[in-house]
Amino acid sequence: MVNVISLLKPLQQAAMRLAGVRPRLVQIEPSTVMNFWGPTDPNPDKPTVLLLHGFQANAIFTWQFQIMSLRSNYNVYAPDFLFFGDSYTDSEERTTDFQAHCVAKGLRKLGVEKCVVVGFSYGGMVGFKLAEFYPQLVESFVVNNSVMRLTESITADCLKRMGFDNWEDFLLPRTVEAVKVTMDIASHKLPNWIPNFFFKDFLEMMFDNRIEKAQLLKALVTSDEFTIPKFPQRIHLLWGENDKIFTLDIAQNLMRQVGLDATRMKRIEKAGHLALLERPCSYNHHLHKIMKFLQDSKATDSEMIH
């Protein structure tokens, strides 16, 4: 039987190309190549948005609805992280620092000087590093169901609540049933009409590079003791309010860490961790409003400076 996900991939890529978005393999270092989806002909008059994906899928599978929604008004770039999609490295480095440095170097080679970052889950953690290391590149940051650091205490709380011993068992399932459990937890309400062959096909297509991805997860967990950077960027939170992984309590703690008030977080009703895929229309509506606010704020700041 033909794998449905394998059929979906060329259709997604064809749709992207028709929309003026294409992949480019960018050599970051001699042994490191990162794939970036981006505009065929970037418009210098449009602002740039960088979309950073989560842990279980590549850039296009994660951001397909958002790329199509944003492309008219923005130059949209969506890289595959190392060991996802078509990105790879011979380096033994597995930290979010390394992913962030590679993204920044890739953007520089693509001619991107400034951007708004939208980071989902794992991508949000990389996004925080990007904002910390490259403040001239990252103008503002939209955090989508993520944390600044995946600390030991957050890890213990999340895994206990979900019923797992470690992140690898949750994020790198090995059976069809385990895939269903993972997606059920990540969703507000997993549709019961999804056939079993979809989960089987997803398992076959999305969980390659297991050894390297397990190493990424091991490197992801950090001590509770870390210095919170002072971010010069405007930061907004966009959250599926029924997230069972990174709950609203975690979101509120993140707001305290960054120094945000309640108006800096938009909640998406009836959506879980995968809000951008569960409720793409609602997600895109909120994202567009945040992006407009950020652009208006940037113009106001510029007027005040002058």
Side-chain angles (χ1 to χ4, degrees):
M1 186 175 178
V2 178
N3 187 298
V4 173
I5 305 297
S6 68
L7 292 177
L8 183 61
K9 182 178 178 180
L11 292 176
Q12 289 174 326
Q13 293 181 350
M16 290 297 132
R17 291 177 187 275
L18 287 173
V21 179
R22 66 183 180 93
R24 288 186 61 181
L25 293 175
V26 180
Q27 185 168 347
I28 309 300
E29 298 174 355
S31 61
T32 301
V33 173
M34 185 167 273
N35 182 54
F36 282 78
W37 285 88
T40 304
D41 296 304
N43 186 334
D45 295 327
K46 289 182 181 180
T48 296
V49 179
L50 175 69
L51 304 176
L52 301 179
H53 67 80
F55 197 83
Q56 283 201 321
N58 58 31
I60 290 302
F61 193 93
T62 302
W63 294 111
Q64 52 191 305
F65 301 118
Q66 287 68 46
I67 292 173
M68 299 301 286
S69 178
L70 292 167
R71 66 183 177 83
S72 296
N73 299 318
Y74 304 93
N75 295 314
V76 183
Y77 291 85
D80 290 326
F81 287 129
L82 298 172
F83 305 116
F84 295 83
D86 294 324
S87 298
Y88 61 88
T89 182
D90 288 342
S91 170
E92 295 182 0
E93 181 66 66
R94 298 291 183 264
T95 64
T96 50
D97 294 37
F98 186 60
Q99 297 273 21
H101 289 313
C102 288
V103 170
K105 290 176 183 178
L107 289 175
R108 189 178 300 121
K109 290 191 174 187
L110 291 171
V112 176
E113 297 180 355
K114 293 181 181 297
C115 63
V116 176
V117 174
V118 183
F120 163 59
S121 196
Y122 179 71
M125 299 175 219
V126 176
F128 271 114
K129 291 291 187 177
L130 201 62
E132 178 184 353
F133 297 150
Y134 301 95
Q136 300 304 314
L137 170 66
V138 180
E139 292 184 306
S140 49
F141 183 23
V142 182
V143 186
N144 174 198
N145 293 73
S146 186
V147 292
M148 189 184 304
R149 302 283 192 278
L150 190 61
T151 62
E152 293 172 347
S153 60
I154 290 176
T155 291
D157 177 65
C158 290
L159 292 176
K160 181 179 179 180
R161 184 175 353 99
M162 296 186 299
F164 285 86
D165 294 327
N166 54 67
W167 286 113
E168 184 178 348
D169 287 346
F170 175 61
L171 289 171
L172 293 173
R174 293 184 177 275
T175 67
V176 172
E177 285 303 315
V179 173
K180 291 174 69 174
V181 169
T182 296
M183 289 191 174
D184 184 54
I185 292 173
S187 307
H188 167 51
K189 187 176 181 181
L190 187 66
N192 55 19
W193 51 261
I194 300 178
N196 270 349
F197 69 76
F198 174 84
F199 301 109
K200 176 179 177 294
D201 293 351
F202 192 85
L203 177 65
E204 292 176 355
M205 291 296 296
M206 291 297 178
F207 298 102
D208 55 354
N209 300 320
R210 282 182 174 273
I211 293 175
E212 293 82 2
K213 287 178 179 177
Q215 293 168 346
L216 291 176
L217 289 173
K218 185 176 181 180
L220 198 56
V221 180
T222 65
S223 167
D224 288 343
E225 301 298 324
F226 70 93
T227 301
I228 299 174
K230 292 184 178 180
F231 295 100
Q233 300 91 346
R234 292 181 183 271
I235 298 177
H236 280 256
L237 272 59
L238 183 55
W239 220 268
E241 68 174 13
N242 302 107
D243 192 342
K244 304 165 196 168
I245 303 172
F246 297 142
T247 62
L248 286 177
D249 286 342
I250 291 176
Q252 289 163 358
N253 183 59
L254 177 59
M255 292 176 71
R256 288 191 291 270
Q257 288 179 323
V258 182
L260 304 180
D261 55 49
T263 62
R264 295 288 187 92
M265 181 170 75
K266 294 294 183 182
R267 302 181 183 185
I268 302 175
E269 298 179 350
K270 298 179 181 178
H273 192 71
L274 297 173
L276 71 174
L277 292 171
E278 284 186 286
R279 301 199 62 199
C281 292
S282 180
Y283 181 96
N284 293 346
H285 171 74
H286 286 296
L287 182 58
H288 275 284
K289 289 182 68 174
I290 292 173
M291 296 295 294
K292 186 178 185 306
F293 171 80
L294 292 173
Q295 291 302 311
D296 291 346
S297 300
K298 178 183 174 182
T300 301
D301 292 344
S302 179
E303 290 174 1
M304 291 176 65
I305 291 173
H306 292 90

